[in-house]
């Protein structure tokens, strides 16, 4: 069928309409006339596959990656970078409007180089013949890859070394391989993920480490994790070499261990920290979902006291190194907020920074946070829908949305990061 693409939709597809039904077509741009074939039809919408561009957008460009379209990692390489930023800002604004947020500030867009930005990649293992790659689009099968333009060059060079010199040490047990680097030093941590129940993991890891020392001299350490059978987190079984990297960002060294979370875009780390932290000063700040302390370390320069709240054990260990002299609470944010609600004598923070996962705060945490009445709240979000939901509740409780920043941590993909600054009216 012939379709007219009306706008870009969060998730990477373009939105068209046919006989009143929404039709989502990947790899299209607003304003384009296309031909597409329906793949899945639901009562209220359909998903289609692009077959031909009839009238291309002036913002369409040639994707630089030979795997684009087959690989499920990128969604916007067919758009100029300026158009990608415009699309993301429009999606963010529409999401907030849909949540009936009335006073939306002008969106400030923060961006940097759109390629070579990732300091971490996670590859899947094809066992026969052995190859490393990403998952194919809308599939669980592995697409072996020869390059990845969004990864830091050292990471893909490391992946090629693993695929060439270490195939025999990986093929019979590894399912996924994660590579993490500090581009300023070139040192790399390698995490191997195996199914639960895999035998002799320590011995297999030791053989791999010996091969890595000659094949990949900048490998600082290597670890083996087992994947959970259902829901849950991978379990660290063993490691060889160093168990962490020292990553310098925003003028500070950070310990980042195997299994710890750290922001992915190495070009924008400094600007992100400045955007989140350099807004307020005072006596007490809380950093909720603190990770290894990327924001908390900077907040300690602006506030007399900082409380960093983090539940992941690996990140808590790193926090004790990265945040000396400050209070660390090894709890979930929800439990911390519940405890604060039952302790009316506790000090009210001057400012709260929170960086929740994609699911956002949720109803209970949002209500508890609103009842604390901190003068300033900075919300870092990786999902515009859950951000809009949570902001709506906070604004109803008396906060105002003062500043909105879109920081493009994931160019070429539909993902967008937002920094929302709120204060009490």
């Amino acid at each position: 069928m012939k379709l007219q693409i009306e706008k870009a939709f969060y998730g990477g597809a373009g939105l068209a309409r046919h006989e009143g039904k929404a039709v989502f077509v990947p790899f299209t741009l607003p304003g384009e006339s296309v031909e597409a074939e329906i793949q899945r039809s639901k009562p209220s919408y359909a998903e289609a596959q692009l077959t031909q561009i009839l009238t291309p957008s002036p913002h369409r460009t040639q994707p630089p990656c030979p795997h684009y379209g087959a690989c499920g990692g990128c969604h916007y390489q067919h758009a100029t970078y300026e158009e990608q930023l415009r699309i993301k800002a429009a999606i963010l604004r529409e999401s907030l409007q849909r949540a009936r947020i009335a006073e939306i500030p002008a969106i400030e867009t923060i961006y940097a180089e759109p390629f070579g930005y990732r300091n971490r990649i996670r590859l899947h293992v094809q066992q026969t013949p052995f190859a490393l790659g990403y998952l194919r689009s809308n599939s669980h099968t592995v697409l072996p890859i020869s390059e990845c333009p969004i990864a830091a060059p050292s990471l893909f060079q490391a992946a090629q070394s693993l695929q060439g010199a270490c195939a025999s040490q990986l093929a019979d047990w590894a399912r996924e391989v994660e590579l993490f680097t500090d581009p300023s030093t070139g040192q790399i941590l390698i995490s191997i993920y195996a199914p639960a129940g895999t035998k002799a993991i320590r011995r297999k890891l030791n053989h791999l480490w010996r091969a890595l020392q000659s094949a990949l001299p900048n490998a600082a350490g290597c670890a083996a994790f087992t994947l959970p059978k259902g829901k849950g987190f991978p379990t660290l079984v063993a490691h060889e070499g160093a168990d962490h990297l020292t990553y310098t960002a925003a003028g500070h060294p950070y310990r980042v261990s195997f299994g710890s979370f750290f922001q992915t875009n190495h070009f924008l780390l400094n600007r992100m920290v400045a955007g989140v932290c350099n807004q307020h000063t005072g006596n007490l700040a809380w950093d909720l979902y603190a990770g290894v302390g990327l924001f908390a370390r900077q907040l300690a320069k602006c506030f007399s006291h900082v409380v960093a709240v983090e539940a992941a054990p690996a990140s808590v260990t790193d926090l004790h190194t990265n945040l000396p002299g400050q209070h660390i609470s090894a709890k979930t944010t929800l439990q911390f907020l519940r405890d604060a609600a039952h302790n009316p004598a506790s000090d009210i923070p001057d400012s709260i920074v929170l960086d929740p996962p994609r699911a956002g705060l949720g109803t209970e945490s949002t209500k508890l946070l609103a009842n604390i009445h901190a003068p300033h709240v900075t919300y870092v979000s990786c999902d515009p829908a859950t951000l809009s939901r949570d902001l709506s509740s906070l604004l109803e409780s008396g906060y105002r949305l003062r500043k909105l920043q879109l920081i493009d941590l994931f160019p070429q993909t539909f993902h967008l990061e937002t920094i929302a600054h709120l204060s009490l009216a």
Side-chain angles (χ1 to χ4, degrees), residues 225-293:
F225 292 81
T226 53
L227 295 163
K229 291 183 178 179
K231 293 183 179 180
F233 297 100
T235 301
L236 177 63
V237 177
H239 81 272
E240 298 280 355
D243 63 352
H244 70 278
L245 284 186
T246 299
Y247 198 118
T248 301
H252 297 290
Y254 291 88
R255 174 191 167 104
V256 185
S257 299
F258 285 113
S260 291
F261 171 77
F262 200 73
Q263 294 290 348
T264 303
N265 189 315
H266 69 92
F267 293 134
L268 284 173
L269 274 171
N270 293 1
R271 294 178 67 187
M272 185 179 193
V273 171
V276 170
C277 301
N278 294 356
Q279 303 293 320
H280 307 289
T281 60
N283 177 55
L284 175 63
W286 290 355
D287 183 12
L288 310 182
Y289 308 94
V292 303

Side-chain angles (χ1 to χ4, degrees), residues 64 74 77 80-82 84-85 111-118 149-151 265 267 408-413:
C74 290
Q77 284 192 26
T80 63
Y81 191 45
E82 292 79 5
Q84 292 183 37
L85 295 174
Y111 59 94
E113 293 294 323
F115 291 102
Y117 62 85
R118 291 194 65 97
I150 65 172
N265 189 315
F267 293 134
D408 193 28
L409 295 186
F410 307 102
Q412 317 307 328
T413 80

Side-chain angles (χ1 to χ4, degrees), residues 4 10-11 99 155-156 192 256 293 352:
Q4 187 72 25
Y10 186 68
L155 288 184
F156 204 76
I192 311 298
V256 185
I352 297 175

Side-chain angles (χ1 to χ4, degrees), residues 132-356:
L132 297 175
Y134 297 119
L135 293 182
R136 293 180 181 273
S137 182
N138 299 315
S139 170
H140 295 290
T141 61
V142 177
L143 173 70
I145 54 172
S146 59
E147 59 182 279
C148 179
I150 65 172
S154 61
L155 288 184
F156 204 76
Q157 291 165 7
Q160 290 176 314
S161 296
L162 283 171
Q163 184 162 301
C166 302
S168 61
Q169 287 81 23
L170 286 168
D172 66 333
W173 66 290
R175 293 297 177 270
E176 298 175 40
V177 177
E178 184 177 85
L179 305 171
F180 172 61
T181 186
D182 176 359
S184 66
T185 66
Q187 293 291 292
I188 294 176
L189 288 183
I190 302 166
S191 299
I192 311 298
Y193 295 86
T198 300
K199 305 297 184 184
I201 283 183
R202 294 178 186 274
R203 176 177 56 81
K204 294 174 187 290
L205 184 70
N206 181 262
H207 290 169
L208 172 63
W209 179 242
R210 281 186 284 174
L212 280 171
Q213 287 177 300
S214 57
L216 194 62
N218 57 338
C222 188
F225 292 81
T226 53
L227 295 163
K229 291 183 178 179
K231 293 183 179 180
F233 297 100
T235 301
L236 177 63
V237 177
H239 81 272
E240 298 280 355
D243 63 352
H244 70 278
L245 284 186
T246 299
Y247 198 118
T248 301
H252 297 290
Y254 291 88
R255 174 191 167 104
V256 185
S257 299
F258 285 113
S260 291
F261 171 77
F262 200 73
Q263 294 290 348
T264 303
N265 189 315
H266 69 92
F267 293 134
L268 284 173
L269 274 171
N270 293 1
R271 294 178 67 187
M272 185 179 193
V273 171
V276 170
C277 301
N278 294 356
Q279 303 293 320
H280 307 289
T281 60
N283 177 55
L284 175 63
W286 290 355
D287 183 12
L288 310 182
Y289 308 94
V292 303
L294 178 64
F295 301 138
R297 182 75 178 264
Q298 188 72 12
L299 289 170
K301 295 169 60 176
C302 306
F303 293 84
S304 302
H305 305 282
V306 173
V307 177
V309 181
E310 176 55 51
S315 295
V316 170
T317 298
D318 292 340
L319 264 174
H320 283 285
T321 298
N322 298 334
L323 202 64
Q326 303 295 340
H327 182 73
I328 296 166
S329 179
K331 301 177 180 178
T332 66
T333 288
L334 178 56
Q335 188 58 57
F336 176 82
L337 292 174
R338 285 172 175 167
D339 293 346
H342 289 95
N343 184 13
S346 60
D347 292 336
I348 296 175
D350 300 292
S351 186
I352 297 175
V353 170
L354 54 142
D355 184 7

Side-chain angles (χ1 to χ4, degrees), residues 65 97 107 128 164 173 218 252 287 296 321 338 380 393 404 423:
C65 180
Q97 290 171 338
I107 298 173
T128 308
W173 66 290
N218 57 338
H252 297 290
D287 183 12
T321 298
R338 285 172 175 167
V380 183
S393 296
L404 201 58
S423 63

